[in-house]
Amino acid sequence: MTTSCDIGRLSEISKTIRREILELIYRTRSPHIGPSFSIVEVLVALYFKYLNVDPADPSKADRDRLIMSKGHACLTLYTVLKERGFLSADDLKGFAKNGGTLEQHPNRDVSKGIELSTGSLGHGLSVGAGMAFAAKKDGKKQRVFVILGDGELNEGAIWEAVMFASQHKLNNLVSVVDCNGMQALGYTKDIIDLAHLSDTWKSFGWAVREVNGHNLAEVCTSLEGLPFSEDKPNVILARTVKGKGVSFMENKLLWHYRAPDEREYEAAIKELNNA
Amino acid sequence: MRDTFVKHLCDMAQRDTDLYLLTGDLGFRLFDEFRERFSDRFLDMGIAEQNMIGVAAGLALSGKKVYCYSIIPFLVMRAYEQIRVDIAYHNLDVKLVGVGGGFTYGMEGFTHFGLEDFALMRSLPNMTVVVPADPVEARCVAELSATVAGPMYIRLGRTGDPVLHDATPPLEIGKAMILREGVDASIFVTGSMAAVALSVADRLEHTGIAATVINMHTLKPLDVETIKSTASTRKIIISIEEHNISGGLGSAIGEVLLESHYHGLFKRFGISEPLGTAMGDADFLRDTHGLTADNIFQQIFDMARKEKGKSYGN
C-alpha cells in the first residue's frame, strides 16, 4: 500500500523530473514541454513504485513493458529512466544533438529501457495489445502499460486496438490516457470532443478509472487496484494540466511547441524550485 | 498459389509452436485447416488492418513468428505506416502475405487491385520482397520465409495459378532464377507474368531471337549481379510485371542498367496510366494493358528489327 512517505518521495522525484525536462528543453530549444509536464506524476509513480523493471537487467524476460505511445512527451520518459538508472547523465546530454543519443521521439533500445519507437501517434496500443496477448498465451505475469494522449485518441487505429483488447479480455493491458485537454492546435473539446470519454471506453468493454493525474495518492491508488476486472483491459483516465508546474505554461497552447527563452527559463526554474 | 502457401504454413506451424497466423477477416475457407489444428495461434483480427500490423509487432517483440494475411491494398496500403514503423523500422519477424497481385481480382474492381505494392514495399528498410511465380514456388517461399529473421513481404496470386515447375526449383532468396538461356535478349519477369515471358521467348525463338528468361522472384534484395552480367552481353533487355510501370521490377532493373552504363535497348512492360475504366476479369484486364504474350512478343520483335547490325527472321 502507498504510504505518505511514498507520496513524499514520489513528489520530490516529480519536482526533479520537471526541472530536468525544463533544462533539456531550454538547452536544446526542443518542443513539447507542455505535454511532457502533464504526464510526470504518472510515469514517476509507475517507474518508482509499480513497474517490474530492473536497470541492472533491462531485458529480463518477465519485465513489465511500458510503451510511450504519445512519443512527443519522451523527455518525461528519458528523465524518469535516468533517475531510475536506465539512462546515464551522458545519455541525456546527447538529447537532440547531432550525432547524439536520444531523439525527440523514443527509439527502441531495451538496454536503455525504451520498449518501442514511437512518434507517429496511434501505434502504441496495438503493439501493447500484441505484447499483452503473447504474455497471456505464454502464461507470463508481465503487464503492459501504454501511455496515450487524449489528442492521440483521434487516431482510428486506437479504437481498433481497443476493440481487440476487450475481445480478448486482456486484463494485463493498461492504458493510461493523459487527458490534458489540449492538442497541437487547440482544445480537444473544440477539435474532436471527448466529453464522454469514460463512457466511451466502458462501452467498448474496458474497466475505467478516472484520477487526478497530478495527485500521486490518487494515481497510486488506481495503480494498486490493477487489474480492475478479471476479464477486461484497464484504462486510467488521468485528468491533467498541460504545462503543469509552471504557472504561465499551464493550459497554454503556446507551450505545446515553444521552448522558453532565458527570461522564461529563469521564471520557470524559480517556480519549480519553490514548488 | 495461396492455397499451397497456407497448406505449407500448416506444416510449419506443426513444427514451430511460435508460429502465429493473423488475417484481416479474409480468406474464406482458406484457413479452415490451420484454424482447426492451431486454433490458439490463429487470430481473425477483424476488419482492422492497422491493428493487425501493430498486434503482429507486439507478438514479434514477444518472440513470436507472425504471418499476416490480407488482400494487397488492405494489407499494404491501409496499414502502410504501421508496416513502416512497427515492422520494418523495428526489423521484426513478421511476414506479410498479400494476395491478389495486379489484376487478379478483376471483376472486383480497382479497390482490390495490387498495383503499387512492389514500389511501396521495396522502399522500406529491412524488408525482403518476394514474389513466387507459381504454386511450387509459393511452397518454397513459405519454407524459406522461416529462415529470414526480419520482415518479409510475399506477394501471391489467388487460386488456380498455372504450374510452371515440374519439380521443386532451386529457389534462393535474393538470387535470380534463370528459366531458359538465350544470347540475344534478356527478359526479366516476376510473379504471375512468368508463363507469359516463357511463351514470348518461345515465339522469339521461332524468329531466330534467342532470349534468356530470368525469374526475379526476389525484388529486394535485388540480384544486381545477374542484371549486370546479362547487360554486358545482351543488346535487348525487357522487364515484365503485373504492377504499375513505376517503381516495380522494371524501375529497379532500369536503375541498375543506367548505373552500369548499359548501351543496349531496354523496355518495361507493366501497367501504365491512364488505368482506364475497362471492366473485366484478370485476363481481360491484362489484355487491355498489353500484358499478353502476343503484344509483348510483337514489341520485342520490332525492337530487335530496328536494332542496328542485326537481322532477325521474317
Side-chain angles (χ1 to χ4, degrees):
Chain A
M1 284 300 286
T2 309
T3 63
S4 58
C5 147
D6 288 329
I7 301 298
R9 184 177 67 103
L10 298 177
S11 176
E12 281 307 311
I13 297 168
S14 300
K15 282 183 197 170
T16 306
I17 295 301
R18 281 203 172 81
R19 281 194 295 262
E20 292 232 17
I21 293 170
L22 176 71
E23 294 280 352
L24 284 161
I25 285 188
Y26 173 59
R27 187 151 51 77
T28 58
R29 315 302 305 154
S30 295
H32 299 134
I33 194 163
S36 298
F37 277 175
S38 61
I39 196 67
V40 169
E41 281 78 10
V42 167
L43 285 194
V44 166
L46 279 168
Y47 275 96
F48 285 87
K49 198 163 160 61
Y50 297 102
L51 286 183
N52 171 24
V53 290
D54 181 2
D57 185 11
S59 58
K60 67 173 181 169
D62 66 341
R63 71 189 185 279
D64 287 338
R65 266 58 163 188
L66 184 136
I67 294 173
M68 194 69 181
S69 194
K70 52 169 271 174
H72 52 287
C74 60
L75 265 184
T76 316
L77 180 69
Y78 297 160
T79 49
V80 167
L81 286 173
K82 186 241 173 189
E83 287 301 308
R84 189 72 173 76
F86 284 91
L87 292 173
S88 68
D90 277 349
D91 287 329
L92 280 195
K93 277 183 192 149
F95 169 69
K97 255 189 191 165
N98 290 335
T101 46
L102 298 164
E103 295 162 282
Q104 287 172 343
H105 291 94
N107 207 355
R108 178 178 155 85
D109 184 345
V110 174
S111 74
K112 292 178 174 170
I114 301 170
E115 295 285 354
L116 193 72
S117 301
T118 53
S120 173
L121 295 171
H123 287 228
L125 193 55
S126 293
V127 179
M131 290 174 170
F133 186 92
K136 279 216 169 272
K137 271 278 176 285
D138 295 344
K140 289 184 180 161
K141 291 243 176 292
Q142 78 198 35
R143 299 178 298 177
V144 183
F145 292 81
V146 181
I147 310 295
L148 302 167
D150 52 358
E152 185 177 9
L153 302 183
N154 296 172
E155 290 282 4
I158 295 275
W159 302 98
E160 295 184 4
V162 164
M163 291 186 280
F164 173 85
S166 60
Q167 175 71 28
H168 293 281
K169 303 180 170 46
L170 301 180
N171 72 341
N172 56 345
L173 178 65
V174 185
S175 290
V176 181
V177 185
D178 181 14
C179 299
N180 61 32
M182 299 181 95
Q183 53 198 94
L185 293 192
Y187 293 103
T188 53
K189 69 178 168 50
D190 297 328
I191 297 165
I192 298 290
D193 193 1
L194 300 166
H196 307 290
L197 195 54
S198 177
D199 290 341
T200 305
W201 285 86
K202 270 182 207 154
S203 72
F204 274 106
W206 284 56
V208 185
R209 295 286 183 280
E210 285 196 70
V211 301
N212 174 341
H214 300 305
N215 182 321
L216 282 160
E218 279 191 37
V219 171
C220 288
T221 302
S222 70
L223 292 171
E224 273 159 27
L226 289 168
F228 303 144
S229 157
E230 277 312 300
D231 59 358
K232 289 177 179 177
N234 318 276
V235 61
I236 297 170
L237 303 177
R239 299 294 174 188
T240 61
V241 173
K242 198 151 177 163
K244 174 73 179 178
V246 175
S247 57
F248 61 87
M249 293 183 183
E250 290 186 1
N251 281 323
K252 297 282 194 303
L253 190 64
L254 179 68
W255 296 98
H256 185 83
Y257 290 117
R258 185 177 164 79
D261 60 22
E262 191 179 348
R263 190 184 54 79
E264 290 159 340
Y265 166 76
E266 295 296 344
I269 198 80
K270 203 169 167 185
E271 272 199 44
L272 291 177
N273 283 332
N274 293 334
Chain B
M1 202 187 286
R2 59 171 200 172
D3 302 82
T4 315
F5 189 90
V6 174
K7 171 83 188 130
H8 195 67
L9 221 48
C10 291
D11 298 343
M12 291 160 67
Q14 179 71 42
R15 301 196 299 264
D16 186 346
T17 54
D18 277 335
L19 194 151
Y20 278 63
L21 176 59
L22 275 50
T23 174
D25 204 38
L26 283 168
F28 184 62
R29 291 203 169 147
L30 178 64
F31 300 117
D32 286 358
E33 186 190 342
F34 195 102
R35 197 173 204 158
E36 203 171 298
R37 288 172 62 188
F38 315 105
S39 59
D40 61 333
R41 288 185 279 140
F42 174 84
L43 274 171
D44 186 343
M45 301 298 299
I47 308 153
E49 295 80 10
Q50 299 173 78
N51 185 53
M52 172 164 75
I53 299 301
V55 167
L59 290 169
L61 285 167
S62 308
K64 311 300 180 194
K65 297 159 189 167
V66 190
Y67 287 77
C68 292
Y69 174 95
S70 193
I71 297 178
I72 288 166
F74 317 141
L75 178 76
V76 175
M77 291 81 173
R78 187 62 169 261
Y80 189 66
E81 208 232 0
Q82 276 78 8
I83 294 173
R84 174 179 181 265
V85 178
D86 304 342
I87 307 296
Y89 183 61
H90 285 89
N91 198 14
L92 297 182
D93 193 354
V94 175
K95 312 306 180 211
L96 305 163
V97 184
V99 70
F103 291 125
T104 304
Y105 279 98
M107 291 290 189
E108 312 240 11
F110 179 77
T111 54
H112 285 54
F113 296 163
L115 306 178
E116 309 87 0
D117 50 334
F118 294 166
L120 290 166
M121 297 310 270
R122 80 182 182 94
S123 59
L124 288 175
N126 302 315
M127 188 66 70
T128 298
V129 180
V130 181
V131 192
D134 79 340
V136 183
E137 289 187 17
R139 192 177 187 284
C140 296
V141 169
E143 186 69 29
L144 288 169
S145 66
T147 68
V148 176
M152 182 187 273
Y153 172 61
I154 301 160
R155 185 213 245 207
L156 301 179
R158 200 175 176 182
T159 48
D161 304 278
V163 175
L164 212 64
H165 301 282
D166 299 331
T168 306
L171 196 149
E172 194 182 324
I173 287 171
K175 184 90 190 91
M177 187 195 293
I178 313 277
L179 295 177
R180 61 186 280 168
E181 298 259 19
V183 293
D184 301 313
S186 279
I187 301 174
F188 289 91
V189 67
T190 195
S192 55
M193 288 289 115
V196 169
L198 287 170
S199 166
V200 168
D202 269 347
R203 294 186 203 191
L204 287 171
E205 183 122 48
H206 290 134
T207 66
I209 304 168
T212 291
V213 177
I214 303 166
N215 174 7
M216 296 296 280
H217 49 71
T218 308
L219 260 64
K220 188 184 173 204
L222 193 68
D223 185 351
V224 172
E225 284 316 305
T226 296
I227 299 169
K228 281 183 177 170
S229 69
T230 195
S232 67
T233 53
R234 313 298 200 282
K235 288 188 172 175
I236 297 173
I237 294 180
I238 301 298
S239 66
I240 310 175
E241 63 197 305
E242 196 172 342
H243 181 273
N244 191 301
I245 199 76
S246 300
L249 174 71
S251 295
I253 290 171
E255 290 159 12
V256 175
L257 294 179
L258 202 57
E259 281 189 341
S260 54
H261 308 291
Y262 174 66
H263 290 300
L265 300 176
F266 172 54
K267 183 163 177 59
R268 297 169 297 161
F269 289 92
I271 297 153
S272 41
E273 294 184 62
L275 196 60
T277 51
M279 186 192 113
D281 62 20
D283 286 340
F284 178 87
L285 290 171
R286 285 166 192 151
D287 185 50
T288 305
H289 284 269
L291 286 177
T292 58
D294 281 348
N295 176 57
I296 296 171
F297 158 75
Q298 194 57 52
Q299 291 206 43
I300 298 175
F301 180 75
D302 292 345
M303 277 169 82
R305 234 181 2 193
K306 286 177 195 156
E307 170 75 3
K308 281 178 191 162
K310 280 273 182 185
S311 169
Y312 296 105
N314 289 11

